[in-house]
Amino acid sequence: MNKPLTAGLVAAGMMMGTTALAQDTFISIGTGGVTGVYYPAGGAICRLVNRDRAEHGIRCGVESTGGSVFNVNAIRSGELEFGVAQSDIQYHSFNGSQQFEGDGAFEGLRAIFSLHPEPFTVVARADSGITTFEDLRGKRVNIGNPGSGQRATMDVVLEAMGWTVDDFAQTSELPPAEQSLAMCDNNVDAIVYTVGHPSGAIQEATTACDTVLVNVDNDEIRALVEERGYYRMATIPGGMYRGTSEDITTFGVGATFVSSDAVSDEIAYQVTRAIFENLDQFTALHPALANLDPSEMVSDGLSAPLHSGAERYFREAGLIE
Ligand code: GLU
């Protein structure tokens, strides 16, 4: 929620005619690991919001977090106002399904807009002999930190494959910023990361030692994509990363920007406006954001209702009817 200064200070500010400053409202955006795309994307959002602070009095800050699941939970508890979350996590949180069954539906979850595609990305040591997802059986795999989107997606994939963690020789739960090094130190054979491309994390994993990207494409995955609307097949272009010259086929989700109905209409409006009025600058701030299309951003992968403030901006801008 907004963290206004004390009433006394606000009143003093008003008396001095500095209403905007005295009423500065702080908002925090939950992102992910610093080598992912959420963190720089959140930074780009805050940069554009803060640029207009004199007009709206919003002070935006970005936090590195455990990822999607952590972010929606922190928005629900009021600890964060905004966050980035995978489209499957947005869906499950709003509906109280999958890992959110215990907590129940988060009915106050609100979609702001969608961001970049996030293929489920598996990288393996070149000397491990792993080239497909099925080859992970019997290997040492980093299955993702609890709270991350990749961990949640990995759990779904394991279930779809009829596997459990016992199908691996060993599992670890390192966060994204630590997993590349663990693989290059030969402590794990493969890592998973649901992330936009290109990303610093996958660049690190493919340059710090000899590794390959792995295809995640089999009957079980195709059935999963068929059955669940928030998944789609995805391609990671060959040549994007060292060691992988062929296109990689996998499945993926979309990254989305979310908030809650406890965040005011005005704040959601101003944040949305800051991005859409400066979209060229926003998309230039990270290569994974380069292909964003405003007409897709207002609907793709959004299963929670639009925040009323975002909706107001989209209507004014003619992006929705
Ligand atoms: N998709 C990941 C997650 O939900 C984060 C990816 C990133 O940080 O770019 O946790």
mmCIF file of all heavy atoms in Angstrom, residues 3-5 9-10 12-14 16-26 53-59:
data_model
loop_
_atom_site.group_PDB
_atom_site.id
_atom_site.type_symbol
_atom_site.label_atom_id
_atom_site.label_comp_id
_atom_site.label_asym_id
_atom_site.label_seq_id
_atom_site.Cartn_x
_atom_site.Cartn_y
_atom_site.Cartn_z
ATOM 1 N N LYS A 3 2.624 4.482 1.186
ATOM 2 C CA LYS A 3 3.179 4.778 2.502
ATOM 3 C C LYS A 3 3.283 6.289 2.628
ATOM 4 O O LYS A 3 4.360 6.860 2.490
ATOM 5 C CB LYS A 3 4.556 4.127 2.654
ATOM 6 C CG LYS A 3 4.494 2.621 2.552
ATOM 7 C CD LYS A 3 5.885 2.028 2.553
ATOM 8 C CE LYS A 3 5.858 0.566 2.180
ATOM 9 N NZ LYS A 3 6.354 0.314 0.839
ATOM 10 N N PRO A 4 2.156 6.958 2.859
ATOM 11 C CA PRO A 4 2.210 8.419 2.945
ATOM 12 C C PRO A 4 2.971 8.859 4.188
ATOM 13 O O PRO A 4 3.053 8.108 5.155
ATOM 14 C CB PRO A 4 0.733 8.821 3.035
ATOM 15 C CG PRO A 4 0.020 7.614 3.511
ATOM 16 C CD PRO A 4 0.828 6.418 3.137
ATOM 17 N N LEU A 5 3.537 10.026 4.114
ATOM 18 C CA LEU A 5 4.189 10.570 5.294
ATOM 19 C C LEU A 5 3.120 10.815 6.353
ATOM 20 O O LEU A 5 1.931 10.748 6.067
ATOM 21 C CB LEU A 5 4.892 11.885 4.932
ATOM 22 C CG LEU A 5 5.983 11.717 3.878
ATOM 23 C CD1 LEU A 5 6.560 13.080 3.503
ATOM 24 C CD2 LEU A 5 7.080 10.807 4.373
ATOM 25 N N LEU A 9 3.152 15.903 8.762
ATOM 26 C CA LEU A 9 4.074 16.385 7.740
ATOM 27 C C LEU A 9 3.332 16.823 6.490
ATOM 28 O O LEU A 9 3.672 17.814 5.871
ATOM 29 C CB LEU A 9 5.054 15.265 7.359
ATOM 30 C CG LEU A 9 6.346 15.243 8.160
ATOM 31 C CD1 LEU A 9 7.186 14.049 7.726
ATOM 32 C CD2 LEU A 9 7.111 16.539 7.944
ATOM 33 N N VAL A 10 2.305 16.027 6.139
ATOM 34 C CA VAL A 10 1.524 16.375 4.952
ATOM 35 C C VAL A 10 0.901 17.748 5.165
ATOM 36 O O VAL A 10 0.980 18.620 4.316
ATOM 37 C CB VAL A 10 0.427 15.314 4.688
ATOM 38 C CG1 VAL A 10 -0.503 15.787 3.582
ATOM 39 C CG2 VAL A 10 1.070 13.991 4.307
ATOM 40 N N ALA A 12 1.892 20.110 7.145
ATOM 41 C CA ALA A 12 2.930 21.143 7.128
ATOM 42 C C ALA A 12 3.306 21.464 5.685
ATOM 43 O O ALA A 12 3.446 22.626 5.307
ATOM 44 C CB ALA A 12 4.152 20.657 7.897
ATOM 45 N N GLY A 13 3.435 20.418 4.875
ATOM 46 C CA GLY A 13 3.789 20.610 3.469
ATOM 47 C C GLY A 13 2.745 21.434 2.755
ATOM 48 O O GLY A 13 3.058 22.334 1.977
ATOM 49 N N MET A 14 1.482 21.153 3.076
ATOM 50 C CA MET A 14 0.414 21.873 2.410
ATOM 51 C C MET A 14 0.439 23.345 2.795
ATOM 52 O O MET A 14 0.250 24.220 1.963
ATOM 53 C CB MET A 14 -0.942 21.252 2.736
ATOM 54 C CG MET A 14 -1.174 20.000 1.911
ATOM 55 S SD MET A 14 -2.398 18.877 2.547
ATOM 56 C CE MET A 14 -3.854 19.829 2.449
ATOM 57 N N MET A 16 3.037 24.966 3.494
ATOM 58 C CA MET A 16 4.168 25.616 2.823
ATOM 59 C C MET A 16 3.992 25.617 1.301
ATOM 60 O O MET A 16 4.876 26.026 0.571
ATOM 61 C CB MET A 16 5.471 24.889 3.176
ATOM 62 C CG MET A 16 5.848 25.073 4.637
ATOM 63 S SD MET A 16 7.454 24.349 5.024
ATOM 64 C CE MET A 16 7.168 22.630 4.720
ATOM 65 N N GLY A 17 2.876 25.055 0.845
ATOM 66 C CA GLY A 17 2.629 25.053 -0.590
ATOM 67 C C GLY A 17 3.457 24.040 -1.348
ATOM 68 O O GLY A 17 3.696 24.185 -2.540
ATOM 69 N N THR A 18 3.932 22.973 -0.666
ATOM 70 C CA THR A 18 4.745 21.947 -1.339
ATOM 71 C C THR A 18 4.008 20.614 -1.288
ATOM 72 O O THR A 18 4.579 19.588 -0.959
ATOM 73 C CB THR A 18 6.123 21.800 -0.672
ATOM 74 O OG1 THR A 18 5.911 21.597 0.731
ATOM 75 C CG2 THR A 18 6.979 23.024 -0.869
ATOM 76 N N THR A 19 2.740 20.665 -1.618
ATOM 77 C CA THR A 19 1.877 19.500 -1.509
ATOM 78 C C THR A 19 2.452 18.252 -2.185
ATOM 79 O O THR A 19 2.510 17.194 -1.600
ATOM 80 C CB THR A 19 0.495 19.798 -2.129
ATOM 81 O OG1 THR A 19 0.221 21.157 -1.887
ATOM 82 C CG2 THR A 19 -0.560 18.922 -1.530
ATOM 83 N N ALA A 20 2.918 18.420 -3.431
ATOM 84 C CA ALA A 20 3.368 17.253 -4.189
ATOM 85 C C ALA A 20 4.507 16.542 -3.469
ATOM 86 O O ALA A 20 4.487 15.344 -3.281
ATOM 87 C CB ALA A 20 3.807 17.664 -5.591
ATOM 88 N N LEU A 21 5.491 17.319 -3.026
ATOM 89 C CA LEU A 21 6.634 16.724 -2.349
ATOM 90 C C LEU A 21 6.242 16.058 -1.041
ATOM 91 O O LEU A 21 6.608 14.929 -0.766
ATOM 92 C CB LEU A 21 7.671 17.805 -2.044
ATOM 93 C CG LEU A 21 8.844 17.888 -3.013
ATOM 94 C CD1 LEU A 21 9.838 18.912 -2.519
ATOM 95 C CD2 LEU A 21 9.505 16.503 -3.123
ATOM 96 N N ALA A 22 5.457 16.814 -0.244
ATOM 97 C CA ALA A 22 5.096 16.299 1.069
ATOM 98 C C ALA A 22 4.270 15.024 0.948
ATOM 99 O O ALA A 22 4.263 14.203 1.833
ATOM 100 C CB ALA A 22 4.324 17.352 1.843
ATOM 101 N N GLN A 23 3.590 14.864 -0.186
ATOM 102 C CA GLN A 23 2.735 13.687 -0.334
ATOM 103 C C GLN A 23 3.397 12.581 -1.128
ATOM 104 O O GLN A 23 2.732 11.678 -1.601
ATOM 105 C CB GLN A 23 1.428 14.093 -1.013
ATOM 106 C CG GLN A 23 0.549 14.915 -0.082
ATOM 107 C CD GLN A 23 -0.759 15.301 -0.713
ATOM 108 O OE1 GLN A 23 -0.878 15.355 -1.927
ATOM 109 N NE2 GLN A 23 -1.753 15.572 0.112
ATOM 110 N N ASP A 24 4.712 12.637 -1.305
ATOM 111 C CA ASP A 24 5.404 11.577 -2.043
ATOM 112 C C ASP A 24 4.912 10.203 -1.604
ATOM 113 O O ASP A 24 4.819 9.915 -0.421
ATOM 114 C CB ASP A 24 6.918 11.658 -1.786
ATOM 115 C CG ASP A 24 7.639 12.206 -2.999
ATOM 116 O OD1 ASP A 24 6.962 12.780 -3.867
ATOM 117 O OD2 ASP A 24 8.868 12.053 -3.061
ATOM 118 N N THR A 25 4.569 9.389 -2.568
ATOM 119 C CA THR A 25 4.068 8.051 -2.290
ATOM 120 C C THR A 25 5.089 7.038 -2.787
ATOM 121 O O THR A 25 5.536 7.130 -3.929
ATOM 122 C CB THR A 25 2.738 7.850 -3.043
ATOM 123 O OG1 THR A 25 1.836 8.864 -2.613
ATOM 124 C CG2 THR A 25 2.154 6.496 -2.748
ATOM 125 N N PHE A 26 5.444 6.101 -1.938
ATOM 126 C CA PHE A 26 6.447 5.106 -2.312
ATOM 127 C C PHE A 26 5.785 3.857 -2.864
ATOM 128 O O PHE A 26 4.822 3.361 -2.288
ATOM 129 C CB PHE A 26 7.291 4.731 -1.084
ATOM 130 C CG PHE A 26 8.148 5.863 -0.598
ATOM 131 C CD1 PHE A 26 7.625 6.824 0.244
ATOM 132 C CD2 PHE A 26 9.465 5.974 -1.014
ATOM 133 C CE1 PHE A 26 8.400 7.891 0.686
ATOM 134 C CE2 PHE A 26 10.252 7.030 -0.582
ATOM 135 C CZ PHE A 26 9.721 7.996 0.269
ATOM 136 N N ARG A 53 8.235 12.420 -11.469
ATOM 137 C CA ARG A 53 7.844 12.509 -10.055
ATOM 138 C C ARG A 53 7.291 13.884 -9.682
ATOM 139 O O ARG A 53 6.348 13.980 -8.888
ATOM 140 C CB ARG A 53 9.015 12.164 -9.141
ATOM 141 C CG ARG A 53 8.588 12.044 -7.685
ATOM 142 C CD ARG A 53 9.774 11.784 -6.772
ATOM 143 N NE ARG A 53 10.455 10.575 -7.164
ATOM 144 C CZ ARG A 53 11.786 10.410 -7.058
ATOM 145 N NH1 ARG A 53 12.541 11.365 -6.576
ATOM 146 N NH2 ARG A 53 12.331 9.285 -7.433
ATOM 147 N N ALA A 54 7.853 14.922 -10.247
ATOM 148 C CA ALA A 54 7.389 16.279 -9.894
ATOM 149 C C ALA A 54 5.899 16.447 -10.203
ATOM 150 O O ALA A 54 5.197 17.180 -9.522
ATOM 151 C CB ALA A 54 8.205 17.311 -10.653
ATOM 152 N N GLU A 55 5.427 15.709 -11.227
ATOM 153 C CA GLU A 55 4.002 15.815 -11.604
ATOM 154 C C GLU A 55 3.101 14.985 -10.706
ATOM 155 O O GLU A 55 2.024 15.400 -10.337
ATOM 156 C CB GLU A 55 3.797 15.279 -13.023
ATOM 157 C CG GLU A 55 4.138 16.237 -14.118
ATOM 158 C CD GLU A 55 4.134 15.518 -15.454
ATOM 159 O OE1 GLU A 55 3.223 14.701 -15.707
ATOM 160 O OE2 GLU A 55 5.080 15.753 -16.222
ATOM 161 N N HIS A 56 3.529 13.728 -10.396
ATOM 162 C CA HIS A 56 2.603 12.831 -9.682
ATOM 163 C C HIS A 56 3.023 12.467 -8.260
ATOM 164 O O HIS A 56 2.244 11.881 -7.521
ATOM 165 C CB HIS A 56 2.344 11.560 -10.503
ATOM 166 C CG HIS A 56 3.587 10.848 -10.962
ATOM 167 N ND1 HIS A 56 4.576 10.474 -10.102
ATOM 168 C CD2 HIS A 56 3.979 10.446 -12.201
ATOM 169 C CE1 HIS A 56 5.532 9.855 -10.785
ATOM 170 N NE2 HIS A 56 5.209 9.835 -12.067
ATOM 171 N N GLY A 57 4.258 12.762 -7.881
ATOM 172 C CA GLY A 57 4.682 12.501 -6.506
ATOM 173 C C GLY A 57 4.894 11.032 -6.161
ATOM 174 O O GLY A 57 4.916 10.659 -4.991
ATOM 175 N N ILE A 58 5.062 10.171 -7.198
ATOM 176 C CA ILE A 58 5.288 8.748 -6.916
ATOM 177 C C ILE A 58 6.786 8.465 -6.960
ATOM 178 O O ILE A 58 7.477 8.871 -7.890
ATOM 179 C CB ILE A 58 4.559 7.857 -7.954
ATOM 180 C CG1 ILE A 58 3.059 8.114 -7.921
ATOM 181 C CG2 ILE A 58 4.857 6.373 -7.694
ATOM 182 C CD1 ILE A 58 2.296 7.478 -9.081
ATOM 183 N N ARG A 59 7.268 7.771 -5.932
ATOM 184 C CA ARG A 59 8.683 7.416 -5.842
ATOM 185 C C ARG A 59 8.771 5.897 -5.976
ATOM 186 O O ARG A 59 8.295 5.168 -5.102
ATOM 187 C CB ARG A 59 9.200 7.879 -4.480
ATOM 188 C CG ARG A 59 10.681 7.911 -4.314
ATOM 189 C CD ARG A 59 11.017 8.509 -2.945
ATOM 190 N NE ARG A 59 10.877 9.967 -2.928
ATOM 191 C CZ ARG A 59 11.878 10.808 -3.228
ATOM 192 N NH1 ARG A 59 13.061 10.333 -3.547
ATOM 193 N NH2 ARG A 59 11.689 12.100 -3.182
#
